[in-house]
Every structure is written in C-alpha cells, then in structure tokens.
Amino acid sequence: MTERQLGIILAVVYEYIKTGEPAGSRTITRKYIKGLSPATIRNEMSDLEEMGYFYQAHASSGRLPTAKAYRVYVDSVTARARTKPHNVEDVRREILSRKNGIEDLLHYVTRLLSRLTNCVAVAAVSSLDDTEIQHIDLMNLGGNNVLALIVLRGGLVHHSQFKLPDEIEPGTLEELSRRINTFAAGHSWSEVREVLYQYVRGGLEEAEISYKLAINELDKLLTQQNYKFFSSGARQILNLPHFQTLTRLQAVLNLLEQEKPLADVIEKCKGSPELKISLGDENETEGMQDNAMILIPARPSQQKTVLGLIGPLRMDYERSINILETVAEILDEN
C-alpha cells in the first residue's frame, strides 16, 4: 500500500464516520487530499476496492469502507498520541464520588460510557475466586432447597439456589455458614478451598453429604461463574441507523443475554494490559460480524475488571477509545 492509498483509506473512513455518506473522489480532493485530480483519486479508489478496502452500494455512488479499511483506520488512531476529553475532570469527579461499592460503581460507569459514546457499554468483574470473601450465608428455603449468598470485597453479591439430597436439620445450615465464615472471611476462595472441607467437617458428620454438596455449590459459583456483568445502552442503540436492521440488533442483545459468549470474549482480553479492538469478521461471536467491540482492562479497588464498548463498524473510534481509556485510568485511581 502506498502512502497516497493510506491517506485515501483514512479519508474515506473518516468521512463515512462523520457523515454517514459514501465518499466520492471529488469529496476526497476537496476536503482531504488537495493537489490531486478527482480522476487520480478515482483510479486509486478503484484499485483499493479491488484490494478489499472499499465497496459501492450502487454503481454510481461513492465508496464505503469495509472492515479491512476500518482496521487500517483504527490502527492509525491507536498509534497516535491522544488528548484527554475536555470534560475529564468532571468525569473523574463523578466516578471517584461513588462510595457504595464496586457494583454501584460499575453500574454507574456503564451508564456513563453509554451516554458519552452512544454505544452499548459493558463491564465485567473477573476472577471471583481470587476476590476476598466478606461473608457467606446458606439459607433454608424450605424442604431441601438452599439459597447461597456470597458477599465479596467491594460489595459484590452473588447468589445461587440448589437442592440437597435430603431435608437438612434447621440449625445445620447456620452452623455450616458459621464454620465457613470463621475460616474463609477475609480470604479468597482460592486460598481456602482445599482445606475448607476438613475444617467444616468436625461436628457435622451427620450431614457429611449435605455439607460437601453445599461447598461444591459454593465452589461452582465462585469458579465456574467467573464473571459478574454490567451493561447499559441497549435501548439507546435503537436510535442508530445501523441497528434498524433486526439481525444486527438481535446479535448484540443475544451477546448481552447469553453471558457465555461475552465471557469468552472478555477472557481473551483479561490477560492483556492493552486495549483490544475487534472489527467485523474479527468478532467470532455469531452475528457480530457487522459490529465492533473495544475492550480494556481496569482495576478499581484492585479488582480485575474489563470495560467495553459495543457498536456499529461506523463508530467514532477516536472519541470512543479516548473516553474508554480515560475512564479505565480513573478507575485505576479508585
């Protein structure tokens, strides 16, 4: 690719992001690349179309960018130094004023990100088994039905219902909860999992099968359900022309509702300290090939978290990346 071709790709993508209109050769020469004739630009655009960077909705229309062109544009954006949003101090003050625990914080942050970017915003707290336990309650719901409530550092609350093989004595669950909390409170589940069985067993032999099953359920809740998700903006994207196509909207809603695909996406970002941007066919989740996703790790209150934006390929990447990076940096201060 020549430098001239790179400039044309960036110009066509930028023009489409800003106006939503296909870019013709006259527009490019008038607004972006002066000193070249429309005919020269037109020939270059034709070559770039053959190379897979552009397409035409109609034979007589200007060019539209493909996901391949968006990738060139996004790589250019991320390679440049970015200035902070003009309202960064207002954003910092709003975020740092949240004092009601990490759940309240992430609910607020997703709403803020969605409002500032017009995208769907997501957040996920990961590695729950590495997070400090504050309290665990096992509550009898009647018969052999049990509710487990787990409160983690930062105020994260997880719950799960399960059945024991037999109806348990009224005080046994309370005693089991007490024993678990005596040993586990102030520690992460990964620290206490292996020795917890032996610790709680003393004096509870008559309910050995039940207590093992109860601890197994706690283990599944904290290790297999390894993320807690927050999202905002699903209604907001209904106003975007891109999501007037039902299949595109349904793909995003399915991603939010079926947490496993979203967890798979976030798992790939979790181990990286850098921004991750997936465009078009780079998204492996079914139906997401017309969309873009931006993810970035953060550590509010030292808890491993991933923030993200989901939107159309025609996203204002420069603004969205800038806002997402700024919010992640502020959360790291929290």
Side-chain angles (χ1 to χ4, degrees), residues 12 30 69 178 216 331:
V12 169
R30 187 178 70 253
R178 187 191 67 77
N216 285 340
L331 285 179

Side-chain angles (χ1 to χ4, degrees), residues 204-223:
L204 294 176
E205 290 85 352
E206 73 283 358
E208 182 172 346
I209 294 176
S210 293
Y211 85 71
K212 282 185 176 179
L213 193 149
I215 295 176
N216 285 340
E217 291 294 329
L218 294 177
D219 190 47
K220 283 195 293 185
L221 182 60
L222 286 164
T223 58

Side-chain angles (χ1 to χ4, degrees), residues 274-324:
E274 300 176 351
L275 197 73
K276 178 178 173 58
I277 303 172
S278 301
L279 307 171
D281 289 341
E282 296 169 3
N283 290 306
E284 298 177 0
T285 305
E286 183 179 355
M288 288 292 292
Q289 286 67 43
D290 288 330
N291 300 310
M293 183 178 295
I294 309 174
L295 299 171
I296 192 169
R299 291 186 68 88
S301 303
Q302 298 304 304
Q303 292 189 238
K304 295 178 184 177
T305 304
V306 174
L307 304 179
L309 295 172
I310 303 170
L313 277 172
R314 187 193 153 216
M315 182 192 296
D316 188 340
Y317 292 98
E318 192 157 9
R319 173 177 169 77
S320 297
I321 291 170
N322 202 356
I323 290 171
L324 191 62

Side-chain angles (χ1 to χ4, degrees), residues 157-221:
V157 179
H158 290 260
H159 61 86
S160 178
Q161 293 186 32
F162 58 92
K163 287 189 175 184
L164 296 174
D166 301 299
E167 188 170 346
I168 198 164
E169 291 296 320
T172 302
L173 282 179
E174 289 83 352
E175 176 63 14
L176 179 56
S177 299
R178 187 191 67 77
R179 287 173 176 266
I180 292 174
N181 283 307
T182 299
F183 191 73
H187 301 278
S188 68
W189 185 255
S190 58
E191 290 176 319
V192 301
R193 176 195 298 119
E194 297 303 323
V195 293
L196 189 58
Y197 289 97
Q198 293 302 319
Y199 180 80
V200 300
R201 183 174 180 176
L204 294 176
E205 290 85 352
E206 73 283 358
E208 182 172 346
I209 294 176
S210 293
Y211 85 71
K212 282 185 176 179
L213 193 149
I215 295 176
N216 285 340
E217 291 294 329
L218 294 177
D219 190 47
K220 283 195 293 185
L221 182 60

Side-chain angles (χ1 to χ4, degrees), residues 60-290:
S60 60
S61 67
R63 263 68 175 192
L64 293 164
T66 64
K68 189 175 180 180
Y70 280 112
R71 170 49 64 192
V72 172
Y73 179 83
V74 166
D75 288 346
S76 173
V77 168
T78 55
R80 299 196 303 265
R82 289 177 288 285
T83 57
K84 298 295 183 187
H86 71 277
N87 59 340
V88 62
E89 289 307 318
D90 292 336
V91 172
R92 174 179 282 105
R93 190 161 46 249
E94 288 183 49
I95 291 175
L96 297 182
S97 68
R98 313 303 293 190
K99 302 298 183 183
N100 295 327
I102 194 168
E103 290 204 27
D104 173 72
L105 176 64
L106 293 181
H107 275 301
Y108 173 76
V109 163
T110 55
R111 292 195 299 271
L112 175 68
L113 286 170
S114 177
R115 173 165 55 85
L116 293 176
T117 65
N118 292 318
C119 295
V120 172
V122 296
V125 178
S126 62
S127 299
L128 300 182
D129 59 333
D130 289 330
T131 304
E132 182 181 302
I133 294 169
Q134 288 189 352
H135 194 75
I136 292 176
D137 275 321
L138 297 173
M139 301 163 49
N140 195 324
L141 298 179
N144 59 346
N145 296 299
V146 176
L147 172 67
L149 287 174
I150 303 174
V151 183
L152 302 174
R153 187 185 64 189
L156 280 172
V157 179
H158 290 260
H159 61 86
S160 178
Q161 293 186 32
F162 58 92
K163 287 189 175 184
L164 296 174
D166 301 299
E167 188 170 346
I168 198 164
E169 291 296 320
T172 302
L173 282 179
E174 289 83 352
E175 176 63 14
L176 179 56
S177 299
R178 187 191 67 77
R179 287 173 176 266
I180 292 174
N181 283 307
T182 299
F183 191 73
H187 301 278
S188 68
W189 185 255
S190 58
E191 290 176 319
V192 301
R193 176 195 298 119
E194 297 303 323
V195 293
L196 189 58
Y197 289 97
Q198 293 302 319
Y199 180 80
V200 300
R201 183 174 180 176
L204 294 176
E205 290 85 352
E206 73 283 358
E208 182 172 346
I209 294 176
S210 293
Y211 85 71
K212 282 185 176 179
L213 193 149
I215 295 176
N216 285 340
E217 291 294 329
L218 294 177
D219 190 47
K220 283 195 293 185
L221 182 60
L222 286 164
T223 58
Q224 294 180 16
Q225 184 183 320
N226 220 15
Y227 295 95
K228 179 144 189 172
F229 294 99
F230 308 84
S231 67
S232 182
R235 290 185 180 179
Q236 193 163 310
I237 63 172
L238 289 171
N239 298 320
L240 299 179
H242 177 82
F243 290 107
Q244 298 306 305
T245 302
L246 183 59
T247 54
R248 293 172 177 169
L249 178 63
Q250 193 64 49
V252 173
L253 296 180
N254 286 342
L255 184 67
L256 299 177
E257 292 171 3
Q258 301 169 14
E259 293 183 349
K260 178 64 166 62
L262 186 57
D264 291 341
V265 171
I266 287 174
E267 187 69 24
K268 295 176 182 177
C269 174
K270 185 181 67 173
S272 171
E274 300 176 351
L275 197 73
K276 178 178 173 58
I277 303 172
S278 301
L279 307 171
D281 289 341
E282 296 169 3
N283 290 306
E284 298 177 0
T285 305
E286 183 179 355
M288 288 292 292
Q289 286 67 43
D290 288 330

Side-chain angles (χ1 to χ4, degrees), residues 39-50:
T40 300
I41 297 295
R42 193 157 45 248
N43 289 335
E44 292 281 23
M45 293 173 80
S46 179
D47 291 341
L48 288 166
E49 184 174 352
E50 290 183 7

